[in-house]
Amino acid sequence: MIPLGAYLAVAAALFLVGLVMVASRRNLVYVLMGLELILNAANLNLVAFDRFRPGAGVDGQITALFVIILAAAEAAIALAIVLNAFSLFETIRPDEMDTMKD
Amino acid sequence: MASWISFLFFAGLAVGCALISLFHRSVVHSAFALLGTLMGVAGLYLMLGADYLAVTQVLIYAGGILVLILFGLMLTPGDPTELRLARVLGGIALIGGGGALFLFKMSGASRWHAAPPDQLAPPDPTVTRIGLELLRQDRFLLPFELASVILLAALVGSVFIARRRVQRDGGAA
């Protein structure tokens, strides 16, 4: 049987890849994809801890379900914002949207 | 033994596709590699006995969010010069260092309050239990109803944000 630590290691790897994707790619759509990876890693942790908890329960799975619902809402809103920012700044590089710096 | 093979398959699918989507030059390839990651995570959910959550993952992430991301890619221009070697090396260094740190901390003193894997009860179908929990008044009924309000607000809000602005002189922006 697979121990809990193996699932946690996979989730940590997904989280790291998502974090690097958010921080290093210069395209707002990549930032969104990195966010989805981070949410998936958190969900995997929730479900794994729920499975290995002494005593049965589905609370972790229901929490992960609400995270998925919020991720769907977040993706819709964020893509609308990306499209709007593109029509406003003519670029989707987040480091070129620096109007507030000037 | 068989469970280790399937675990390694799904974990390799998830992490490998995540790495492809991080380092690939083409945005569309990255989005489709993200599909592999989501499927791998759904497989891991199945191995953890979360059958309803795995189906929901495939339906909402692979069917909904990924299509949204592809639409976002189609409506914005790509940037072929954006991936630089220094960034790739920095990403590899960050992932390797973070993974090594995590494994170091994991192999140290951290003892999770977890049941041993061979003493776990065999997984049973969770659809009925999740449905009953979601509709029980003292459990998850209020968040369940609030989620519908949030989804409605997100629907209306995204249409409002993404609509085409009309300038003051009458022409469309």
Side-chain angles (χ1 to χ4, degrees):
Chain A
M1 291 293 284
I2 294 114
L4 174 62
Y7 291 102
L8 297 188
V10 174
L14 284 182
F15 180 82
L16 276 170
V17 173
L19 196 64
V20 173
M21 201 187 280
V22 169
S24 74
R25 298 300 298 251
R26 294 164 72 188
N27 185 335
L28 272 180
V29 183
Y30 272 109
V31 175
L32 291 182
M33 285 161 56
L35 274 181
E36 304 299 339
L37 276 183
I38 290 176
L39 289 174
N40 260 296
N43 268 349
L44 191 57
N45 264 5
L46 280 174
V47 179
F49 276 120
D50 185 53
R51 172 81 174 122
F52 284 88
R53 196 165 52 117
V58 288
D59 291 6
Q61 294 184 29
I62 293 178
T63 312
L65 198 62
F66 283 118
V67 173
I68 290 179
I69 293 172
L70 287 181
E74 171 255 0
I77 292 286
L79 277 167
I81 290 176
V82 167
L83 293 185
N84 218 349
F86 171 63
S87 69
L88 193 61
F89 290 97
E90 311 254 316
T91 178
I92 52 170
R93 290 186 166 193
D95 47 356
E96 286 177 7
M97 300 175 183
D98 50 0
T99 309
M100 289 182 79
K101 257 197 261 178
D102 302 333
Chain B
M1 191 58 212
S3 63
W4 269 106
I5 291 175
S6 50
F7 173 79
L8 287 179
F9 173 73
F10 287 129
L13 184 68
V15 178
C17 284
L19 285 174
I20 289 174
S21 96
L22 172 57
F23 290 125
H24 204 283
R25 190 173 281 275
S26 152
V27 193
V28 182
H29 283 79
S30 292
F32 278 106
L34 195 66
L35 175 69
T37 300
L38 301 174
M39 289 296 179
V41 174
L44 289 178
Y45 286 165
L46 275 183
M47 297 199 57
L48 285 166
D51 48 356
Y52 178 69
L53 207 58
V55 175
T56 310
Q57 165 98 357
V58 173
L59 274 180
I60 294 186
Y61 266 109
I65 294 181
L66 203 69
V67 173
L68 263 181
I69 286 178
L70 283 174
F71 267 104
L73 289 181
M74 280 189 276
L75 293 173
T76 53
D79 189 356
T81 65
E82 65 125 357
L83 193 60
R84 295 210 200 109
L85 187 64
R87 281 174 187 276
V88 171
L89 290 180
I92 291 174
L94 197 55
I95 289 175
L101 186 66
F102 176 78
L103 287 180
F104 176 70
K105 297 292 275 185
M106 276 285 298
S107 63
S110 72
R111 299 278 302 163
W112 304 106
H113 187 62
D118 46 355
Q119 291 177 17
L120 288 177
D124 50 343
T126 57
V127 181
T128 314
R129 291 171 67 195
I130 287 181
L132 287 176
E133 291 276 313
L134 277 180
L135 289 181
R136 258 172 64 186
Q137 197 177 7
D138 51 345
R139 297 306 303 273
F140 291 99
L141 183 61
L142 184 62
F144 181 67
E145 297 295 337
L146 277 180
S148 61
V149 178
I150 282 178
L151 283 177
L152 179 66
L155 191 70
V156 177
S158 58
V159 169
F160 177 74
I161 291 173
R163 86 202 148 125
R164 193 170 280 271
R165 302 283 158 131
V166 177
Q167 298 272 339
R168 253 182 224 146
D169 55 5

